[in-house]
Amino acid sequence: MNSVESLTIHKIVTNPIPPPILEEIETFEVEALRTLSGEISTDLFKPFRLQYGIYGQRQPGVQMVRIKIPFGGITANQLRRVAELADRHATGVGHVTTRQDIQMHFVELKDVPSIMRGLAEVGLTTREACANTVRNVTACHLAGVCQGEVFDVTPYAKTVAYHLLRNPLNQSLPRKFKIAFSGCKHDCALTPIHDIGLLAVKRADGEIGFRMVAGGGLGSAPRIAQLLREFTPMEELIPSIEAVIKVFDMLGNRKNRNKARMKFVIDKLGFAEFKRRWEAAYVAMGHTLPKNGPLTLLQHQDDLSRLIMPTKNGVANGSGNGNGNGTHPIGHETSFEMWKRTNVVKQKQDGYVTAAIKLFMGDITAEQMLFVADLAERYSNGNLRTTINQNLVIRWVPADQIPHFYEDLASRGLADPGAELVEDIIACPGTDTCGLGITSSKGLARALAEVFPAGRVPEDLQDVSVKISGCHNSCAQHHISTIGLHGVGKRLGDHVAPYYELHLGGSVNGTAKIGQMTVKLPAKAVPAAISHLIDVYRRDRQTNENLPKFIARVGKSKLKDELIPYTIVPSYQEDPTFYYDWEGDEEFILEDLGPGECAGGALDMIENGILEADQELYQAKLLVEKHQYSVSVNKSYRAVLAAAKALLVTEGLEPSTDSETFIEFDSRIAQIGIVPSIYRDLSQKVGDLGPKETSAESAREKMAFAKGFVDACRAATDQMGKDLKLSAVKEEMSPVAPAPVETKPVAPAPAGAPIYDLRGVACPMNYVKTKLKLEMMDAGEHLEVWLDAGEPIKNVPMSLKNDGHKVLIQEALEPEASHYRILVEKVEG
């Protein structure tokens, strides 16, 4: 590819690579060549590769290269080098991430050392952008120019980032560790979702410092960070951070990757004990409370002293007409006026603005990078910043030059309006490149562009954000979005359909809040469902009520009821398009991401049962409105049955008849207080819900009973974690003791361990039954389990290991290996 070379006008300024960094790159090169030659395995090379910021893609044989951009600060010179390398060794496209990094995809391993050298020559690195290290330190892209900031956090973010880079303290942490800095109350860097969040504050006496929170994170178990220090003096900033990392390094879970983040350390210890451990670590590391000497800051030159006053075609400052050329009316606004309204922010420095360049889902071509680098030097001081919303900004643009700046952007297709607003939908790479991606998050984002057209989104949605992750890992931060979506798959008969879990009401501004998972939607129904959600908001909102406040007031249950019609999927024969992902050419499949997800499978069964109950209730309501009361009553009955079966999954049961379902539910769920006492003796109370002649009033009464029951079952599952344990509801009356449950005697194994024969029991019920059996045993006791070949022997042992138990033996029961035995030792959780 030679397009970049032909476009490059400015020579890239390089510096000699420091010997330690050169040695580091050469070491990587040697190991990469050994891997390519087959001398060492790819599995052995993987942790080493990740430490250097090189991530395997879902496509075999190619890598994703992640360039660390501390606080998002990058120079025009550095951006030109990134463009050159992307064009020469990748696809010619760079991708700005939600951690302000820049990624290149489809890089061959043999080319990675050349990329590393090229980056090092301009002061960039990929080191520790991946792996179990301190990841890129992020900060607000307006730091230093924001009108509302307490002070500029840039030098502090830079100092912390480079202090921790290659620091022995964080080379082998239990899991990744994230730090963010914000300079004002709007908290643009999202400090509450980080392992350490630092918010600028000023005391009454004028001393500046940081409010320090710890333990935040998203992923499959989102947590909001808690307050560690109300005020952290500057001289204590780095010691305070180091002590947190030290506690995490000592106490983090290194056995179970799914429980390895620092938030789980805090869950286990409690925050008070975590804080005590942090204080002890602070002292033990040689830091004295409260003073540790002054902080030496790394400066980032980004101010008036380097500004080049721009001229364009011989036109001096201030002589533009303010309209731009080539604009056309859109309503009462020209294209330029729309872009200026949405993409330009006035700085605290008079006469200057910051202009945002909207990158669709973070992507920018090498040619555009070169052009933007030129603009940064022509109109500003040669500095740019990436944003956590996957855009680029150029600061210090003279306000009177904005019309000319816009013209230049428009000439290269970079003048899209709506940067950093609701229409600027955040999406991770998803199945385009990510090995963990389940769905095409970028494809859905393009589909939602019709719901949120750039520059034309009504004012009542200005406080809204939309974020889409292709899996539960939340790389797009869907948990803290007003409308958040993350991809999953769902088996429907012989086919699998792409789905999204819809999270509503997340936010960080003001009081941080994790959005509530409201409903699971088929991918192809998401745009219509979101459109309906907005219609409901406009129909039912109160005066001056924005969408986030509306969601909080109305609540999950009512909004889910509104969206239930969009959960219904036709069979493959009726409409196969539901079984294709957005922009997918082939039928959707779930990649084999490895065994050990039995608990997840059980949770899916429970969730699907509750969803089935909601769908039956939805149909019951429609039938009442159509005066088909008898059929409506039957649908109410089916809703009760579906919800009861869902909760019985936690007991490892799949009753084959309705009567058996109600009997088991009463003895195992209702009588021990999992649901309110009104739902005991369920078989008697639903016995008259059969298809018989009934009145409208009676149909509505029975539907109300069914809805109350389904809501009670949902409430029980909402409090349940992956351990599948249900908690009793609090009522004035004491729950009745559970009826004894008969269990089949088991013959003792030769080794003395009881045998649990689960041959013929499919996943995930075999895991659930084993889990329940182990819960009745003491730590150290053994249980022998018999399982079928295939998925059972592949999944159940791994799931039990994920729970912390030990699998001592795993072997075939007979020569043909159609059944297996495992010997499990219970370990106290």
Side-chain angles (χ1 to χ4, degrees), residues 368-389:
Q368 289 172 330
M369 281 189 258
L370 289 175
F371 185 71
V372 169
D374 289 349
L375 292 186
E377 290 181 338
R378 188 185 311 160
Y379 288 98
S380 183
N381 57 12
N383 288 320
L384 307 95
R385 295 212 188 183
T386 56
T387 82
I388 63 169
N389 289 322

Side-chain angles (χ1 to χ4, degrees), residues 32 42 102 171 304 454 499 624 663 708 759 766 799:
T42 54
I102 297 178
Q171 293 307 296
L304 283 163
Y499 269 70
V624 165
I663 291 170
R759 291 174 295 179
N766 45 22
S799 295

